Amino acid sequence: MFCLSLRLTHEQGPPQHDHHLRTAPTERSRVRRAEDRGHYDSHIIHAIVDAAYLCHVSFVDERGPLCLPTAVWRVNDHVLIHGSNGSKMMKSLAQGTPACLAITHLDG
């Protein structure tokens, strides 16, 4: 088993309580459609990750785009994903290949 850690980063600014920290959206991650539904507060992002068991990791390799399901969990400000240290996904991500991690919750 191999786990890859992805850090949730926060905006620079005055010290705040952890539940008030905001993850700074990048130009790629900023919500554009229905912007009022986008949230960047750490406690909301942490709750979404904490309630998930599964995520999908997308990346591109020499064969083309891939989207793979895997287990996900959080430890402090790190999102961890499960995978084999021999898998193409983990090898690619460890080398710095750009990727997208998606968590979906279907409620009701």
Side-chain angles (χ1 to χ4, degrees):
M1 181 176 93
F2 181 74
C3 297
L4 185 67
S5 171
L6 309 168
R7 180 139 171 88
L8 299 171
T9 58
H10 302 292
E11 295 179 353
Q12 296 298 321
Q16 303 175 33
H17 292 86
D18 184 54
H19 65 281
H20 293 296
L21 291 174
R22 291 175 52 87
T23 300
T26 66
E27 189 55 32
R28 287 191 64 198
S29 66
R30 184 178 54 83
V31 175
R32 290 174 179 76
R33 186 172 179 170
E35 289 181 24
D36 59 317
R37 296 182 66 191
H39 296 279
Y40 305 102
D41 297 313
S42 293
H43 72 283
I44 294 173
I45 295 170
H46 289 178
I48 291 168
V49 176
D50 291 347
Y53 298 101
L54 179 73
C55 72
H56 287 82
V57 178
S58 300
F59 64 100
V60 177
D61 72 4
E62 66 278 353
R63 298 172 294 173
L66 297 164
C67 181
L68 304 172
T70 190
V72 64
W73 65 100
R74 179 182 67 87
V75 175
N76 298 320
D77 282 344
H78 290 84
V79 175
L80 299 149
I81 59 173
H82 175 267
S84 166
N85 59 2
S87 74
K88 182 65 175 177
M89 177 179 73
M90 291 305 210
K91 286 180 180 178
S92 293
L93 297 179
Q95 291 175 355
T97 299
C100 175
L101 184 141
I103 293 174
T104 303
H105 291 285
L106 299 176
D107 300 328

